[in-house]
Tab-separated table of all heavy atoms in Angstrom:
chain	number	residue	atom	x	y	z
V	154	GLY	N	-272.429	-70.709	-9.847
V	154	GLY	CA	-273.737	-70.334	-10.331
V	154	GLY	C	-273.873	-68.871	-10.545
V	154	GLY	O	-273.131	-68.051	-9.931
V	155	ARG	N	-274.859	-68.496	-11.418
V	155	ARG	CA	-275.084	-67.084	-11.655
V	155	ARG	C	-276.533	-66.899	-12.119
V	155	ARG	O	-277.037	-67.728	-12.910
V	155	ARG	CB	-274.136	-66.512	-12.702
V	155	ARG	CG	-274.314	-65.020	-13.005
V	155	ARG	CD	-273.504	-64.569	-14.157
V	155	ARG	NE	-273.937	-65.119	-15.418
V	155	ARG	CZ	-273.286	-65.867	-16.214
V	155	ARG	NH1	-272.035	-66.243	-15.860
V	155	ARG	NH2	-273.770	-66.369	-17.359
V	156	VAL	N	-277.167	-65.866	-11.624
V	156	VAL	CA	-278.553	-65.531	-12.121
V	156	VAL	C	-278.494	-64.068	-12.553
V	156	VAL	O	-277.817	-63.220	-11.920
V	156	VAL	CB	-279.615	-65.728	-11.027
V	156	VAL	CG1	-279.780	-67.216	-10.694
V	156	VAL	CG2	-279.297	-64.977	-9.742
V	166	PHE	N	-280.036	-56.721	-12.368
V	166	PHE	CA	-279.614	-57.411	-11.160
V	166	PHE	C	-278.824	-58.652	-11.528
V	166	PHE	O	-279.221	-59.378	-12.446
V	166	PHE	CB	-280.766	-57.825	-10.268
V	166	PHE	CG	-280.355	-58.787	-9.165
V	166	PHE	CD1	-279.714	-58.347	-8.050
V	166	PHE	CD2	-280.599	-60.157	-9.305
V	166	PHE	CE1	-279.308	-59.195	-7.042
V	166	PHE	CE2	-280.178	-61.063	-8.340
V	166	PHE	CZ	-279.552	-60.567	-7.201
V	167	GLU	N	-277.757	-58.896	-10.826
V	167	GLU	CA	-276.972	-60.124	-11.073
V	167	GLU	C	-276.405	-60.668	-9.761
V	167	GLU	O	-275.912	-59.871	-8.954
V	167	GLU	CB	-275.802	-59.829	-12.018
V	167	GLU	CG	-274.984	-61.108	-12.379
V	167	GLU	CD	-273.932	-60.838	-13.434
V	167	GLU	OE1	-274.271	-60.249	-14.512
V	167	GLU	OE2	-272.721	-61.112	-13.162
V	168	GLY	N	-276.558	-61.957	-9.563
V	168	GLY	CA	-276.016	-62.627	-8.402
V	168	GLY	C	-275.231	-63.827	-8.787
V	168	GLY	O	-275.533	-64.485	-9.767
V	169	SER	N	-274.141	-64.057	-8.112
V	169	SER	CA	-273.255	-65.189	-8.439
V	169	SER	C	-272.655	-65.755	-7.172
V	169	SER	O	-272.599	-65.172	-6.131
V	169	SER	CB	-272.165	-64.774	-9.423
V	169	SER	OG	-271.329	-63.821	-8.813
V	170	PHE	N	-272.135	-66.988	-7.321
V	170	PHE	CA	-271.381	-67.605	-6.239
V	170	PHE	C	-270.418	-68.663	-6.729
V	170	PHE	O	-270.591	-69.170	-7.873
V	170	PHE	CB	-272.388	-68.308	-5.222
V	170	PHE	CG	-272.896	-69.637	-5.764
V	170	PHE	CD1	-272.204	-70.827	-5.406
V	170	PHE	CD2	-273.983	-69.758	-6.557
V	170	PHE	CE1	-272.631	-72.071	-5.860
V	170	PHE	CE2	-274.438	-70.953	-7.048
V	170	PHE	CZ	-273.776	-72.095	-6.669
V	171	ARG	N	-269.445	-68.967	-5.946
V	171	ARG	CA	-268.509	-70.089	-6.144
V	171	ARG	C	-268.373	-70.772	-4.803
V	171	ARG	O	-268.193	-70.125	-3.779
V	171	ARG	CB	-267.149	-69.643	-6.695
V	171	ARG	CG	-267.151	-69.193	-8.128
V	171	ARG	CD	-265.735	-69.086	-8.619
V	171	ARG	NE	-265.038	-70.379	-8.645
V	171	ARG	CZ	-264.935	-71.133	-9.771
V	171	ARG	NH1	-265.432	-70.640	-10.932
V	171	ARG	NH2	-264.314	-72.269	-9.737
V	186	PHE	N	-266.874	-70.461	0.423
V	186	PHE	CA	-268.019	-69.956	-0.296
V	186	PHE	C	-267.774	-68.476	-0.610
V	186	PHE	O	-267.460	-67.716	0.283
V	186	PHE	CB	-269.292	-70.123	0.548
V	186	PHE	CG	-270.549	-69.634	-0.150
V	186	PHE	CD1	-271.074	-70.357	-1.210
V	186	PHE	CD2	-271.141	-68.485	0.213
V	186	PHE	CE1	-272.226	-69.941	-1.869
V	186	PHE	CE2	-272.287	-68.034	-0.437
V	186	PHE	CZ	-272.818	-68.755	-1.454
V	187	PHE	N	-267.922	-68.142	-1.911
V	187	PHE	CA	-267.549	-66.782	-2.333
V	187	PHE	C	-268.719	-66.239	-3.181
V	187	PHE	O	-268.841	-66.539	-4.367
V	187	PHE	CB	-266.285	-66.805	-3.157
V	187	PHE	CG	-265.168	-67.535	-2.498
V	187	PHE	CD1	-264.808	-68.820	-2.827
V	187	PHE	CD2	-264.457	-66.944	-1.450
V	187	PHE	CE1	-263.826	-69.489	-2.206
V	187	PHE	CE2	-263.428	-67.562	-0.803
V	187	PHE	CZ	-263.088	-68.888	-1.198
V	188	PRO	N	-269.585	-65.398	-2.548
V	188	PRO	CA	-270.757	-64.883	-3.265
V	188	PRO	C	-270.435	-63.494	-3.883
V	188	PRO	O	-269.404	-62.871	-3.580
V	188	PRO	CB	-271.770	-64.691	-2.147
V	188	PRO	CG	-270.936	-64.376	-0.936
V	188	PRO	CD	-269.611	-65.138	-1.103
V	189	GLY	N	-271.333	-63.079	-4.746
V	189	GLY	CA	-271.213	-61.725	-5.408
V	189	GLY	C	-272.560	-61.277	-5.848
V	189	GLY	O	-273.439	-62.132	-6.183
V	190	ALA	N	-272.793	-59.999	-5.940
V	190	ALA	CA	-274.025	-59.425	-6.368
V	190	ALA	C	-273.808	-58.082	-6.958
V	190	ALA	O	-272.840	-57.384	-6.606
V	190	ALA	CB	-275.066	-59.347	-5.233
V	191	ALA	N	-274.668	-57.665	-7.873
V	191	ALA	CA	-274.542	-56.350	-8.510
V	191	ALA	C	-275.897	-55.820	-8.891
V	191	ALA	O	-276.827	-56.558	-9.259
V	191	ALA	CB	-273.647	-56.459	-9.755
V	192	LEU	N	-276.071	-54.481	-8.828
V	192	LEU	CA	-277.255	-53.811	-9.252
V	192	LEU	C	-276.846	-52.739	-10.265
V	192	LEU	O	-275.761	-52.059	-10.119
V	192	LEU	CB	-277.981	-53.039	-8.067
V	192	LEU	CG	-278.624	-53.982	-7.009
V	192	LEU	CD1	-279.103	-53.128	-5.830
V	192	LEU	CD2	-279.782	-54.753	-7.604
V	217	ARG	N	-273.636	-48.538	-11.581
V	217	ARG	CA	-273.562	-49.947	-11.156
V	217	ARG	C	-272.889	-49.981	-9.765
V	217	ARG	O	-271.952	-49.265	-9.533
V	217	ARG	CB	-272.723	-50.721	-12.174
V	217	ARG	CG	-272.506	-52.190	-11.759
V	217	ARG	CD	-271.623	-52.910	-12.791
V	217	ARG	NE	-271.241	-54.202	-12.388
V	217	ARG	CZ	-271.844	-55.348	-12.754
V	217	ARG	NH1	-272.890	-55.254	-13.582
V	217	ARG	NH2	-271.423	-56.503	-12.362
V	218	ILE	N	-273.448	-50.811	-8.947
V	218	ILE	CA	-272.856	-51.039	-7.637
V	218	ILE	C	-272.778	-52.571	-7.457
V	218	ILE	O	-273.697	-53.310	-7.812
V	218	ILE	CB	-273.666	-50.411	-6.505
V	218	ILE	CG1	-272.971	-50.646	-5.146
V	218	ILE	CG2	-275.095	-50.912	-6.454
V	218	ILE	CD1	-273.601	-49.863	-4.042
V	219	SER	N	-271.605	-53.029	-6.975
V	219	SER	CA	-271.433	-54.479	-6.889
V	219	SER	C	-270.592	-54.782	-5.648
V	219	SER	O	-269.883	-53.972	-5.092
V	219	SER	CB	-270.729	-55.005	-8.162
V	219	SER	OG	-269.461	-54.443	-8.317
V	220	TYR	N	-270.727	-56.049	-5.265
V	220	TYR	CA	-269.894	-56.598	-4.140
V	220	TYR	C	-269.616	-58.038	-4.474
V	220	TYR	O	-270.439	-58.796	-5.019
V	220	TYR	CB	-270.682	-56.530	-2.799
V	220	TYR	CG	-270.011	-57.370	-1.702
V	220	TYR	CD1	-268.986	-56.865	-1.020
V	220	TYR	CD2	-270.439	-58.681	-1.485
V	220	TYR	CE1	-268.348	-57.637	-0.018
V	220	TYR	CE2	-269.844	-59.460	-0.541
V	220	TYR	CZ	-268.792	-58.937	0.200
V	220	TYR	OH	-268.138	-59.703	1.121
V	221	GLY	N	-268.419	-58.480	-4.132
V	221	GLY	CA	-268.068	-59.878	-4.365
V	221	GLY	C	-266.820	-60.287	-3.531
V	221	GLY	O	-266.034	-59.420	-3.165
V	222	SER	N	-266.689	-61.511	-3.273
V	222	SER	CA	-265.493	-62.056	-2.604
V	222	SER	C	-264.919	-63.174	-3.476
V	222	SER	O	-265.621	-63.914	-4.108
V	222	SER	CB	-265.837	-62.596	-1.218
V	222	SER	OG	-266.805	-63.650	-1.289
V	223	VAL	N	-263.583	-63.293	-3.454
V	223	VAL	CA	-262.867	-64.261	-4.307
V	223	VAL	C	-261.861	-64.979	-3.451
V	223	VAL	O	-261.142	-64.443	-2.647
V	223	VAL	CB	-262.164	-63.509	-5.490
V	223	VAL	CG1	-261.420	-64.538	-6.303
V	223	VAL	CG2	-263.120	-62.744	-6.313
Side-chain angles (χ1 to χ4, degrees):
R155 183 186 67 243
V156 294
F166 168 78
E167 183 175 307
S169 63
F170 79 91
R171 288 192 66 99
F186 181 72
F187 309 101
L192 293 173
R217 178 184 172 95
I218 183 172
S219 62
Y220 167 83
S222 60
V223 179

